[in-house]
């Protein structure tokens, strides 16, 4: 994989990881309830689920798309449209809806503080099932991942590199969410902060969707 292609994918990984989703919510919830250290098991589970989705999308759909120009074009347009839709939806999200995810996480954490802390295995499986059952993550991988696969090079090695890169970025971001949730709960729940977050995440997603339309298929 060329370094320039990897850098583009690296940036895309940050955008995907930072964009609010079920993984971010469970990381915040566990960060509030159990602390950042114990949330590490949850985050490792998230990476295991994410890896399964990534490898399946890359090995199956990716192999088809690099061999078919028409399939590549369809997925590129659909993927770009989906990202733009998510961005517009995030941009226009009402404040009440923006607060609900964090508020629910905080409520769950508060309720669980008086109960026993789930075992490492339980937290691990919570993370795994969270990403395996996340359709947003699956669509992201199917739409974005194959565009970084070079048909002239080893598919397993490329998937390994893409997977490790995504995991490294996501681990960093999810720990960041857990830490911020445990330290800055009041700030995260403020209306002003939610408006800014919606605008930033929404704008980045729409820009990423538009940029996908400029990506060209690597010739087989």
């Amino acid at each position: 994989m060329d370094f320039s292609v990897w850098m583009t994918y690296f940036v895309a990984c940050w955008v995907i990881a930072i964009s609010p989703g079920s993984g971010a919510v469970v990381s915040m919830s566990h960060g509030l309830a159990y602390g950042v250290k114990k949330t590490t098991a949850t985050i490792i589970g998230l990476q295991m689920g994410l890896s399964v989705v990534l490898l399946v999308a890359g090995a199956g759909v990716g192999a088809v798309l690099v061999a078919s120009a028409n399939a590549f074009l369809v997925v590129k347009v659909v993927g770009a449209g989906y990202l733009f839709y998510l961005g517009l939806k995030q941009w226009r999200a009402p404040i009440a809806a923006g607060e609900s995810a964090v508020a629910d996480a905080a409520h769950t954490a508060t309720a669980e503080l008086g109960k026993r802390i789930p075992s490492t295995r339980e937290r691990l499986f919570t993370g795994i099932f969270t990403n395996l059952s996340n359709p947003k993550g699956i669509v992201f991988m199917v739409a974005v991942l194959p565009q970084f696969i070079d048909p002239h090079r080893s598919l397993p090695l490329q998937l390994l590199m893409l997977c490790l890169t995504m995991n490294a970025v996501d681990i960093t971001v999810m720990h960041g969410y857990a830490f911020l949730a445990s330290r800055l709960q009041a700030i995260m729940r403020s209306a002003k902060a939610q408006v800014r977050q919606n605008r930033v995440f929404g704008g980045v997603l729409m820009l990423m969707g538009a940029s996908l339309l400029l990506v060209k298929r690597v010739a087989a």
Side-chain angles (χ1 to χ4, degrees), residues 19-21 83-94 97-98 136 194-203 205-206:
S19 300
L83 291 177
F84 193 86
Y85 164 75
L86 288 179
L88 184 61
K89 184 177 179 181
Q90 183 71 35
W91 183 284
R92 300 174 61 182
K136 174 184 173 182
Q194 288 298 317
V195 170
R196 290 178 178 175
Q197 176 179 296
N198 287 340
R199 298 294 187 269
V200 171
F201 288 144
L205 284 170
M206 286 188 283

Side-chain angles (χ1 to χ4, degrees), residues 83-166:
L83 291 177
F84 193 86
Y85 164 75
L86 288 179
L88 184 61
K89 184 177 179 181
Q90 183 71 35
W91 183 284
R92 300 174 61 182
I95 301 305
E99 291 178 341
S100 61
V102 177
D104 288 345
H107 176 74
T108 300
T110 301
E112 291 179 349
L113 280 174
K115 303 179 181 179
R116 72 173 183 86
I117 296 178
S119 67
T120 299
R121 178 181 295 182
E122 289 172 326
R123 282 176 273 133
L124 186 72
F125 277 105
T126 295
I128 293 174
F129 291 134
T130 295
N131 267 345
L132 284 180
S133 61
N134 180 12
K136 174 184 173 182
I138 295 172
V139 173
F140 263 127
M141 289 302 141
V142 172
V144 176
L145 188 67
Q147 302 184 49
F148 296 96
I149 296 175
D150 187 340
H152 300 296
R153 301 183 180 182
S154 170
L155 181 60
L157 288 178
Q158 290 183 82
L159 290 177
L160 177 62
M161 182 178 297
L162 294 172
C163 186
L164 291 176
T165 300
M166 184 73 237

Side-chain angles (χ1 to χ4, degrees), residues 40-91:
T40 296
T42 309
I43 295 173
I44 291 175
L46 287 171
Q47 304 319 306
M48 294 173 68
L50 180 62
S51 296
V52 172
V53 173
L54 187 149
L55 293 175
V56 169
V61 180
V64 173
L65 294 183
V66 295
S68 172
N70 290 333
F72 181 88
L73 178 61
V74 170
V75 170
K76 181 171 71 171
V77 172
V78 172
Y82 178 73
L83 291 177
F84 193 86
Y85 164 75
L86 288 179
L88 184 61
K89 184 177 179 181
Q90 183 71 35
W91 183 284

Side-chain angles (χ1 to χ4, degrees), residues 184-195:
L184 304 174
Q185 179 182 342
I187 295 177
M188 292 174 67
R189 295 180 66 182
S190 70
K192 189 174 183 180
Q194 288 298 317
V195 170

